[in-house]
Amino acid sequence: MVREILVQMTSPAGYPIRVVGFRFGEGRPKVAIVGGLRGDEVHQSYVVARLCAFLRREAERNHGMIQGEILLVPLVNTFGFNVGYRFWPPDATDIDRMFPGFRFGETTQILAHSLFEKLKDADFGVHVTSLDPRQEHMALTTMYRSGLGNIEAGSHFGTHFLYVKDPKPFDTGSLLYNWQVWDVCALGLVGGKPSDIQQDLALEQTTAILRFLSKVGVLKLRVPERFSPVLLEEADLLLIRNGHPGLFLPLKAPGCGVFEGETLGWVRDTLTGEPLEELQSPALGTVFFRYARPAIFEEEVAFGVATR
Amino acid sequence: MLETWFTLNLPTREAVALQRQRFFPEGMEGSFNRLKRLSLLSGIHGDELEGLYVCYRLASFLKENPRAIRGVIDIYPSLNPLGVNMTRRFVPFFEVDLNRMFPGDSFGSLPEKMAHATVHAVSGSSIAVDLHASNIFLKEIPQVRIDEGNASKLLPLAKLLNVDFVWVYPSVTVLRSTLAHTLNAIGVRTLVVEMGVGLRVTPIFGDQLVSGLIHLMAHEGFLSLDSPPEVREPIVSINEQVYFINAGCSGLFIPGADHGGRIGKEEVIGQIVSPFTGEGLETLRSPADGLLFTLRAYPIVFEGSLVARVCALEG
Ligand SMILES: [Zn+2]
């Protein structure tokens, strides 16, 4: 394992801000795995960090295990992480909207540019991320529809679902989107919620990456099989909205199978504590995500249920 | 009259009313559908307060001159009221830029609902002016910014606004989600004004723009005035090059040129210094003869921070 400073910047208060990468092996195929583009994607960073610990230990006693190159970047927004903030703290920009970056641009454009220079020649790119900071997801693989040629690679993780997204205008600055533009086989691995580590889920996701690495041939390791993923699109999700604002008290967790009419959670009055409504599943399905905060506005999406 | 155009229901079940001030021609309060309408919009970014001053000045002018009013004039001082109250640029709690949420969704999250309600409220206006005040980092001279796709339609209107500068910039995909883009697409001729700096009010700029708004309203038939204020001819940048000057290192920025003035090629814009070593780290110079229309107001810079923009001018 080689520890490498991928990006380094000075800061006005004197200390340097760094993005660190860990390189295992060399040659092809090359797989880049990135977490923590947001400072609050702690769970997602942890998934990559556990992978780092696993690979370092295994590679020491099993020479020849890695056939190609694996570049791990557990945390990019180190500044935000250290101060507990999702975006780049000085100007609140989202690093995952700055790709491919610009050498002569603003701070996070330069950061994205310097980082992307180290990532864009990969054969496979895996972004461990979250879809919405206010939602908690089950473990799933994501890809853009324009990358549909990569469905087979996407199924290598063995997650329950492979979620196909249509890029919105602001997605054109994301790492995943730009990897794809650079002909990298780009896949997202989503799960958990920001500012919280769920250890069981994290290990499930780390194992999913090991499964992927083994199937694309960069890792000689037997990883137990899991799912043959179900292809899912936005239209396959039933969105369950609350009517009233108040306190959100979920019962069902992401990944749960639910019947039609099953109680998913409750909304109670913030001040009086009275129940305002019961949220029910409209169909037989799987809880794909749930709202992840205690305070909820009216007509938020409280649950997403996948019906495929 | 003060009207509620949207209500935010908060998790505590308190309801926040979003209000606008609506002016009618005298005695024509019942003729809304027969009158043309102009909307003045401000506070979509909660850290930009220059527009609130303009709203105040214009509302006060209209109250003093009710007989001059010939159309409906709507004033929306704070489109992002939670942000304005908290001095936050984004919509608090959601941490999203309201001006990237358009056209919005009446069934979406609160910011999407706010965006949708804004479009619904303003649609039907023939003209809208969306007032911005840069951000806390940069100071701007009063200017109108126009997407080149709308230039032929908006440039004549922009010249009425008494601004110093009109910047026609190339179309960018992500800016399709702005309020101005959405309104222009549904036939509301919408001008985006940038001026001053975040978290501050610069009355001299605000007063300059109020004169322009009065001139524009008189020109477009919303006001009938014996002698509307004169306006200046702005510098229009269409083919001229706009240069961005970014910090090459992190440190403390000390400006060395006057904001809004002419600057010569190679003249000093400012210096980045180190409070630790007492050294100058970088001297930033103008890449061209031109107008220094943007200048850093916030002294801390990171590598890459925008320090100035210069519009190159002939002669
Ligand atoms: Zn603004």
Side-chain angles (χ1 to χ4, degrees), chain A residues 10-13 79 85 90 104-107 110 134 241 244-246 269-270 276 291 293 295-300, chain B residues 9-13 90 93-95 107-110 113 137 174 246 250-251 276 300-306:
Chain A
T10 57
S11 76
F79 190 1
Y85 188 60
F104 303 103
E106 290 266 352
T107 312
I110 296 174
R134 293 174 303 117
R241 294 168 194 277
H244 301 85
D269 187 290
T270 306
L276 297 172
Y291 185 78
R293 291 187 187 175
I296 196 164
F297 283 71
E298 62 178 340
E299 294 162 22
E300 274 285 350
Chain B
N9 292 310
L10 305 185
T12 53
R13 308 192 80 199
F90 294 162
F93 190 87
F94 298 86
E95 279 289 307
F107 296 105
S109 66
L110 182 86
K113 283 193 181 78
F137 302 110
V174 310
N246 297 73
S250 300
F276 291 93
I300 293 287
V301 290
F302 278 75
E303 180 186 343
S305 295
L306 188 63

Side-chain angles (χ1 to χ4, degrees), chain A residues 166-227:
Chain A
D166 293 298
K168 305 208 163 71
F170 58 80
D171 285 329
T172 53
S174 70
L175 174 60
L176 208 61
Y177 187 90
N178 283 280
W179 256 335
Q180 212 186 278
V181 171
W182 259 257
D183 281 331
V184 178
C185 174
L187 299 158
L189 198 60
V190 167
K193 60 178 175 178
S195 307
D196 193 24
I197 291 177
Q198 289 165 271
Q199 298 216 44
D200 293 348
L201 180 68
L203 285 197
E204 184 187 328
Q205 291 180 281
T206 305
T207 310
I209 301 176
L210 288 173
R211 192 176 295 117
F212 172 83
L213 292 172
S214 134
K215 292 201 173 179
V216 299
V218 76
L219 201 63
K220 270 173 82 178
L221 186 76
R222 266 181 51 83
V223 184
E225 292 290 338
R226 199 79 198 276
F227 299 99

Side-chain angles (χ1 to χ4, degrees), chain A:
Chain A
M1 181 191 80
V2 182
R3 184 180 192 272
E4 214 176 289
I5 293 172
L6 300 177
V7 184
Q8 173 154 332
M9 278 194 169
T10 57
S11 76
Y15 63 91
I17 292 167
R18 296 188 179 115
V19 179
V20 173
F22 300 93
R23 211 178 278 277
F24 296 84
E26 55 184 5
R28 296 283 166 179
K30 177 176 172 178
V31 185
I33 302 169
V34 178
L37 283 178
R38 279 74 173 246
D40 66 348
E41 290 183 343
V42 183
H43 174 91
Q44 292 74 13
S45 281
Y46 180 69
V47 168
V48 184
R50 284 300 299 262
L51 182 64
C52 188
F54 178 90
L55 289 179
R56 188 185 62 78
R57 206 159 296 132
E58 290 296 310
E60 261 173 25
R61 60 177 200 201
N62 180 357
H63 294 279
M65 181 182 77
I66 295 168
Q67 316 245 313
E69 184 184 327
I70 304 170
L71 173 63
L72 300 183
V73 190
L75 178 59
V76 176
N77 188 1
T78 52
F79 190 1
F81 181 91
N82 284 331
V83 300
Y85 188 60
R86 180 173 176 80
F87 302 120
W88 180 252
D91 60 10
T93 50
D94 184 351
I95 297 171
D96 200 26
R97 293 290 174 271
M98 292 296 152
F99 290 95
F102 179 39
R103 169 69 193 94
F104 303 103
E106 290 266 352
T107 312
T108 43
Q109 290 177 309
I110 296 174
L111 195 157
H113 165 84
S114 308
L115 183 63
F116 199 59
E117 286 297 303
K118 313 273 172 125
L119 301 175
K120 70 183 185 189
D121 70 328
D123 300 295
F124 299 92
V126 179
H127 182 203
V128 187
T129 184
S130 59
L131 285 182
D132 184 318
R134 293 174 303 117
Q135 291 172 352
E136 175 183 354
H137 278 82
M138 63 185 288
L140 62 123
T141 308
T142 66
M143 62 195 304
Y144 286 120
R145 190 179 302 282
S146 37
L148 271 185
N150 302 324
I151 280 193
E152 196 197 336
S155 66
H156 288 339
F157 291 94
T159 55
H160 189 148
F161 291 112
L162 175 54
Y163 185 53
V164 178
K165 298 192 290 179
D166 293 298
K168 305 208 163 71
F170 58 80
D171 285 329
T172 53
S174 70
L175 174 60
L176 208 61
Y177 187 90
N178 283 280
W179 256 335
Q180 212 186 278
V181 171
W182 259 257
D183 281 331
V184 178
C185 174
L187 299 158
L189 198 60
V190 167
K193 60 178 175 178
S195 307
D196 193 24
I197 291 177
Q198 289 165 271
Q199 298 216 44
D200 293 348
L201 180 68
L203 285 197
E204 184 187 328
Q205 291 180 281
T206 305
T207 310
I209 301 176
L210 288 173
R211 192 176 295 117
F212 172 83
L213 292 172
S214 134
K215 292 201 173 179
V216 299
V218 76
L219 201 63
K220 270 173 82 178
L221 186 76
R222 266 181 51 83
V223 184
E225 292 290 338
R226 199 79 198 276
F227 299 99
S228 177
V230 176
L231 215 60
L232 198 73
E233 302 177 14
E234 213 170 342
D236 302 318
L237 286 177
L238 296 174
L239 303 181
I240 294 96
R241 294 168 194 277
N242 59 309
H244 301 85
L247 290 179
F248 176 61
L249 301 149
L251 282 180
K252 294 294 178 198
C256 266
V258 287
F259 292 129
E260 182 181 341
E262 185 102 24
T263 304
L264 298 173
W266 295 85
V267 177
R268 284 179 184 268
D269 187 290
T270 306
L271 304 182
T272 68
E274 293 296 334
L276 297 172
E277 63 185 299
E278 180 189 339
L279 301 163
Q280 294 184 345
S281 178
L284 179 68
T286 308
V287 177
F288 191 68
F289 67 81
R290 71 181 180 191
Y291 185 78
R293 291 187 187 175
I296 196 164
F297 283 71
E298 62 178 340
E299 294 162 22
E300 274 285 350
V301 179
F303 288 92
V305 172
T307 55
R308 285 181 80 97

